[in-house]
């Protein structure tokens, strides 16, 4: 989580709310599907039955579920199980192989946000290979122990996983990485007891561990990409001047490793799509979203609107947080003082509305707990656009 920071990722396409691009000789297809219930994978199954993608081609899923977004949000687990079950029923991969597929689920659809998932798949299609185009890489870190969360050990393990995801994407230059989406474990009473049974102690309380896990992961991403030096233990989740400009970190009880999905540009990748990023200055900075789209190669008028996107947006992913200074554009904010509604829900609903307005679509990915992800009061903005042949 950041101090009011956010991460925005926008995926654009010509039609059918999907994208296709190549990774070497393998193209990547991505499609957004709506979740009709907390255990609904029918959208994924429809893609498979229609021949849009094969179950065995799916390499990653990033989605929003409708739970409370907290430590005990089990809608993430239900959605995860439903999608993995569908892949096993319709494909030939073993349960063990399917378990290795990164699935990043963010809970909480406050305000106008629609539950949905973006499915990424590799297929045999190819495209032009003489230009830098969008590519994807995935990896799982080594096991993250309860006592690692909030400490240098987690930073180092995540950094190693990010580097492996870069290799999977065929990216050599860290500057070609524009978006790193992760899911990492958080603490539970059981995991705390496990650590204590081994003579270890944890760095924070259970209900603080979501933000701490996110923040420590973001530092690992920053270290791997050369954005920051390896932080000292006392800087983790304290020195908020340290941050990654491309990190979007989420956490939950459903895993014990860091699930890592990298998006970037690779020379010779082929395809029609490029990724770029900008910085969102604060929670109201709708221009930051459009600036990211421009940076990726799509021309827009100075005062852009959703209609100017011409139906090319597939999805928008954001990180957000109430600004810890308690202000927004010089005005006092009360999110951090509200004892009835947690500030995460305030900020998620507000930023979700800004993103939905920018894109003309309420099925947007908005996640809170953005520590070390972007600067104070703002955050990274990443866009994927169709740049044509």
């Amino acid at each position: 989580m950041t101090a009011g920071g956010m991460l925005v990722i926008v995926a654009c396409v010509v039609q059918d709310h999907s994208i296709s691009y190549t990774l070497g000789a393998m193209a990547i297809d991505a499609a957004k599907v709506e979740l009709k219930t907390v255990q609904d994978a029918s959208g994924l199954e429809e893609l498979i039955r229609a021949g849009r993608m094969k179950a065995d081609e799916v390499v990653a899923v990033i989605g929003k579920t409708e739970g409370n977004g907290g430590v005990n949000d089990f809608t993430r687990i239900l959605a995860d199980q439903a999608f993995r079950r569908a892949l096993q029923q319709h494909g030939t991969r073993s349960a063990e192989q399917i378990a290795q597929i990164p699935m990043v689920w963010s809970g909480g659809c406050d305000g106008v946000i629609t539950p949905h998932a973006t499915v990424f798949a590799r297929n045999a299609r190819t495209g032009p290979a003489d230009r830098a185009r969008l590519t994807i890489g995935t990896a799982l870190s080594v096991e993250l122990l309860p006592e690692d969360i909030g400490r240098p050990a987690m930073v180092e393990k995540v950094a190693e996983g990010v580097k492996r995801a870069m290799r999977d994407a065929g990216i050599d230059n860290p500057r070609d990485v524009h978006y790193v989406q992760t899911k990492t474990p958080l603490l539970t009473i059981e995991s705390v007891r496990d650590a204590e049974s081994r003579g270890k102690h944890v760095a924070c309380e259970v209900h603080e561990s979501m933000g701490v896990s996110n923040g420590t992961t973001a530092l690992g991403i920053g270290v791997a990409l050369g954005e920051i030096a390896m932080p000292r233990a006392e800087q983790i989740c304290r020195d908020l001047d340290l941050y990654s400009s491309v990190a979007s970190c989420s956490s939950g009880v459903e895993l014990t490793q860091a699930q890592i999905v990298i998006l970037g540009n690779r020379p010779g990748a082929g395809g029609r799509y490029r990724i770029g990023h900008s910085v969102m200055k604060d929670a109201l900075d709708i221009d930051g979203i459009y600036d990211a789209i421009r940076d990726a190669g799509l021309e827009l008028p100075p005062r852009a609107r959703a209609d100017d996107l011409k139906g090319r947006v597939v999805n928008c992913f954001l990180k957000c947080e109430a600004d810890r200074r308690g202000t927004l554009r010089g005005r006092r904010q009360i999110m951090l003082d509200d004892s009835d509604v947690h500030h995460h829900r305030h900020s998620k609903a507000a930023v979700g509305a800004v993103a939905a307005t920018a894109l003309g679509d309420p099925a947007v990915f908005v996640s809170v707990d953005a520590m070390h992800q972007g600067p104070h009061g703002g955050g990274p903005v990443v866009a994927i656009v169709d740049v044509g042949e």
Side-chain angles (χ1 to χ4, degrees):
M1 69 188 161
T2 60
M6 69 188 63
L7 174 66
V8 184
I9 296 94
V10 184
C12 299
V13 71
V14 177
Q15 60 183 0
D16 194 33
H17 292 91
S18 61
I19 63 176
S20 294
Y21 52 96
T22 65
L23 175 59
M26 300 293 287
I28 298 294
D29 188 24
K32 181 166 67 178
V33 298
E34 185 174 327
L35 302 187
K36 299 174 182 177
T37 68
V38 294
Q39 291 182 288
D40 176 43
S42 63
L44 171 61
E45 292 181 305
E46 289 171 7
L47 292 173
I48 296 170
R49 291 193 182 101
R52 169 64 181 277
M53 60 181 64
K54 297 179 180 179
D56 291 345
E57 295 172 342
V58 174
V59 294
V61 176
I62 301 174
K64 286 295 302 181
T65 66
E66 59 199 81
N68 60 25
V71 173
N72 65 334
D73 183 354
F74 297 107
T75 65
R76 297 186 299 244
I77 297 176
L78 295 174
D80 191 90
Q81 291 175 340
F83 271 64
R84 294 186 194 277
R85 187 164 52 246
L87 292 180
Q88 189 166 10
Q89 290 174 346
H90 294 276
T92 63
R93 287 183 287 189
S94 67
E96 291 74 18
Q97 291 173 314
I98 292 173
Q100 298 300 304
I101 299 171
M103 292 192 183
V104 179
W105 297 101
S106 173
C109 288
D110 303 86
V112 299
I113 300 171
T114 297
H116 68 279
T118 303
V119 183
F120 295 87
R122 283 193 181 124
N123 57 48
R125 301 185 185 93
T126 60
D130 60 345
R131 303 177 182 89
R133 291 292 185 264
L134 188 63
T135 182
I136 186 172
T138 65
L140 290 171
S141 76
V142 298
E143 184 177 5
L144 294 168
L145 302 173
E147 60 268 26
D148 292 339
I149 297 174
R151 296 200 170 105
M154 184 174 184
V155 176
E156 293 171 348
K157 290 180 178 180
V158 169
E160 190 277 332
V162 170
K163 292 177 180 178
R164 285 195 288 109
M166 286 179 60
R167 291 193 293 271
D168 186 58
I171 295 176
D172 297 320
N173 189 342
R175 293 187 178 183
D176 290 331
V177 176
H178 292 272
Y179 172 39
V180 183
Q181 175 67 60
T182 63
K183 188 78 173 186
T184 51
L186 45 71
L187 294 177
T188 64
I189 295 299
E190 290 74 19
S191 64
V192 171
R193 289 174 179 168
D194 171 67
E196 292 173 344
S197 71
R198 293 180 283 103
K200 306 293 183 180
H201 66 282
V202 297
C204 62
E205 299 293 334
V206 168
H207 285 281
E208 298 173 334
S209 66
M210 179 175 287
V212 172
S213 180
N214 292 351
T216 312
T217 301
L219 292 175
I221 294 169
V223 168
L225 301 180
E227 296 178 286
I228 60 173
M230 181 67 191
R232 301 185 304 274
E234 63 269 20
Q235 291 179 295
I236 297 174
C237 299
R238 293 182 178 85
D239 184 356
L240 299 184
D241 288 328
L242 299 178
Y243 62 84
S244 169
S245 295
V246 297
S248 176
C249 306
S250 186
S251 53
V253 299
E254 63 268 28
L255 70 173
T256 60
Q257 299 165 279
Q259 295 179 339
I260 302 164
V261 181
I262 277 182
L263 293 170
N265 295 317
R266 186 174 69 83
R272 298 171 57 93
Y273 304 92
R274 281 187 53 82
I275 186 169
H277 72 277
S278 182
V279 174
M280 202 167 183
K281 298 175 182 178
D282 58 34
L284 299 180
D285 188 14
I286 193 171
D287 289 331
I289 300 173
Y290 296 130
D291 286 343
I293 297 172
R294 294 186 185 96
D295 183 65
L298 184 65
E299 293 186 7
L300 294 175
R303 296 302 303 171
R305 301 178 60 183
D307 290 345
D308 298 317
L309 302 178
K310 306 300 182 185
R312 297 168 73 174
V313 171
V314 149
N315 205 359
C316 176
F317 307 75
L318 305 92
K319 288 295 293 189
C320 65
E321 179 102 346
D323 194 315
R324 295 188 181 191
R325 295 166 294 196
T327 61
L328 178 60
R329 301 198 179 185
R331 296 292 192 182
R332 185 170 71 96
Q333 298 289 285
I334 55 85
M335 285 184 274
L336 295 170
D337 296 321
D338 194 334
S339 297
D340 296 313
V341 179
H342 195 277
H343 60 87
H344 284 171
R345 312 202 76 158
H346 279 288
S347 58
K348 193 185 304 179
V351 174
V354 172
T357 299
L359 304 177
D361 183 1
V364 291
F365 184 97
V366 182
S367 174
V368 288
D369 270 342
M371 187 185 296
H372 294 307
Q373 296 153 74
H376 296 288
V381 186
V382 184
I384 303 170
V385 303
D386 174 8
V387 294
E389 296 296 340

